[in-house]
């Protein structure tokens, strides 16, 4: 007998039987690209099959993982950046740093998000697969990408900006762009996004914002603008190539940061439901 399930929940009723889910996060592996400002990702097996065998013949393996909170695909908590000694909302950064963690704006307060996502494919809008190293994405570029995709961010949305730089992810030297620089959004573009009231901004690079050749991460004005001035979360190291290949620019965005008490960021596994 076939059971037919009925629901009065409009969210469940609207959910496709077989939703198409696109991964927006990079895989985690030892040796992956990592900003020199953060401890890198390391994983090794702590116990292997055969190290201990149960009376019934069963065995188990497990691992040890060491990583920083801003390694791989991750989200910045509002405690991550201060300006003139203050965090978002005028919180005193020094006073909030207590006992090796943050008493305010810690990663445990970074919300899970189930909301409208918008892909701003700047690389495609400018007629290229990958923006050149050090390119500064402007507000005009974002506007052009929004027009091309037929979707503009609005209040409460998550905006993800594709530069095409994730194509270099398997080459840490090229991806980190120490000599070439890394493309990313400028303050001008950050203001454009903030004016639209987005909840979070993500990019397929190591810092989300423009890194000029040879500059490293010495100055990060967009981090100050988004995190400190506007309380807008930043996601970095996104994988946006598969999403771009779908041709979909408006989608259901899902992410759930780890509730790391007092932390400044969290690894994430963001998803796009496109149909």
């Amino acid at each position: 007998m076939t059971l037919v399930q009925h629901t009065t929940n409009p969210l469940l009723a609207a959910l496709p039987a077989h939703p198409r889910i696109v991964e927006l996060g990079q895989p985690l592996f030892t040796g992956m690209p990592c900003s020199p400002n953060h401890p890198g990702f390391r994983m090794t097996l702590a116990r292997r099959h055969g190290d201990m065998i149960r009376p019934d013949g069963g065995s188990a393996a497990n691992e040890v993982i060491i990583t920083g909170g801003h390694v791989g695909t991750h989200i910045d908590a509002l405690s991550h950046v201060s300006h003139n000694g203050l965090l978002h909302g005028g919180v005193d950064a020094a006073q909030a740093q207590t006992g090796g963690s943050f008493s305010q704006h810690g990663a445990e307060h970074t919300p899970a998000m189930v909301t409208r996502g918008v892909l701003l494919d700047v690389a495609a809008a400018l007629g290229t697969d990958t923006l050149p190293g050090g390119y500064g994405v402007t507000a005009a570029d974002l506007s052009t990408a929004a027009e091309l995709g037929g979707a503009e961010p609005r209040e409460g949305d998550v905006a993800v900006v594709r530069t095409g730089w994730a194509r270099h992810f398997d080459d840490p030297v090229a991806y980190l762009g120490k000599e070439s620089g890394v493309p990313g959004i400028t303050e001008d573009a950050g203001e454009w996004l903030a004016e639209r009231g987005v909840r979070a901004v993500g990019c397929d690079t190591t810092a989300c914002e423009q890194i000029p050749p040879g500059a490293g991460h010495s100055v990060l004005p967009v981090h100050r603008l988004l995190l400190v001035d506007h309380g807008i979360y930043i996601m970095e190291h996104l994988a946006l190539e598969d999403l771009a290949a779908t041709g979909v620019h408006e989608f259901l965005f899902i992410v759930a940061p780890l509730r790391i008490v007092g932390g400044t960021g969290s690894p994430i596994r963001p998803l796009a439901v496109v149909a």
Side-chain angles (χ1 to χ4, degrees):
M1 181 176 64
T2 301
L3 295 178
V4 179
Q5 295 183 342
H6 299 280
T7 178
T8 58
N9 187 313
L11 291 176
L12 294 178
L15 185 67
H18 303 285
R20 184 179 180 187
I21 298 173
V22 180
E23 294 276 357
L24 302 181
Q26 297 284 6
L28 295 162
F29 57 91
T30 301
M32 65 187 291
C34 174
S35 166
N37 295 329
H38 303 287
F41 179 88
R42 298 290 184 272
M43 192 212 82
T44 189
L45 292 178
R47 185 170 69 172
R48 299 171 181 270
H49 290 292
D51 288 349
M52 187 277 289
I53 301 176
R54 297 186 176 90
D56 64 355
S59 183
N62 56 42
E63 64 280 306
V64 172
I65 296 173
I66 300 173
T67 187
H70 300 265
V71 178
T73 307
H74 67 275
I75 191 167
D76 294 344
L78 297 184
S79 58
H80 179 46
V81 170
S82 65
H83 188 69
N84 292 330
L86 300 178
L87 303 173
H88 176 63
V91 173
D92 187 291
Q95 292 183 6
Q97 294 173 152
T98 58
S101 64
F102 278 87
S103 61
Q104 297 187 67
H105 290 327
E108 74 275 24
H109 299 299
T110 304
M113 302 178 200
V114 180
T115 190
R116 177 177 181 257
V118 174
L119 170 64
L120 297 170
D121 194 340
V122 177
L126 298 183
T128 184
D129 290 330
T130 307
L131 296 179
Y135 181 84
V137 174
T138 66
D141 292 333
L142 295 183
S143 181
T144 299
E147 184 176 356
L148 177 70
E152 182 172 306
R154 56 185 183 232
E155 187 173 358
D157 289 350
V158 169
V160 296
V161 180
R162 178 180 173 267
T163 69
W165 203 249
R167 290 168 172 257
H168 297 311
F169 193 77
D170 290 334
D171 183 346
V173 174
Y175 182 76
L176 295 176
K178 184 176 181 180
E179 296 183 0
S180 68
V182 180
I185 61 176
T186 60
E187 286 186 81
D188 174 50
E191 288 285 8
W192 187 90
L193 291 162
E195 288 171 0
R196 281 149 183 79
V198 298
R199 183 180 303 183
V201 175
C203 195
D204 53 359
T205 64
T206 182
C208 193
E209 61 184 281
Q210 176 192 22
I211 305 297
H217 292 68
S218 57
V219 180
L220 298 173
V222 177
H223 276 64
R224 181 265 308 158
L225 173 70
L226 296 180
L227 291 170
V228 181
D229 294 351
H230 294 285
I232 296 172
Y233 300 96
I234 297 174
M235 295 174 291
E236 294 158 333
H237 299 290
L238 293 180
L240 300 178
E241 295 306 293
D242 288 347
L243 178 62
T246 67
V248 174
H249 292 81
E250 184 181 30
F251 51 91
L252 176 63
F253 177 86
I254 302 172
V255 72
L258 300 179
R259 301 176 69 187
I260 302 172
V261 176
T264 65
S266 167
I268 54 173
R269 185 184 180 183
L271 303 171
V273 182
V274 298

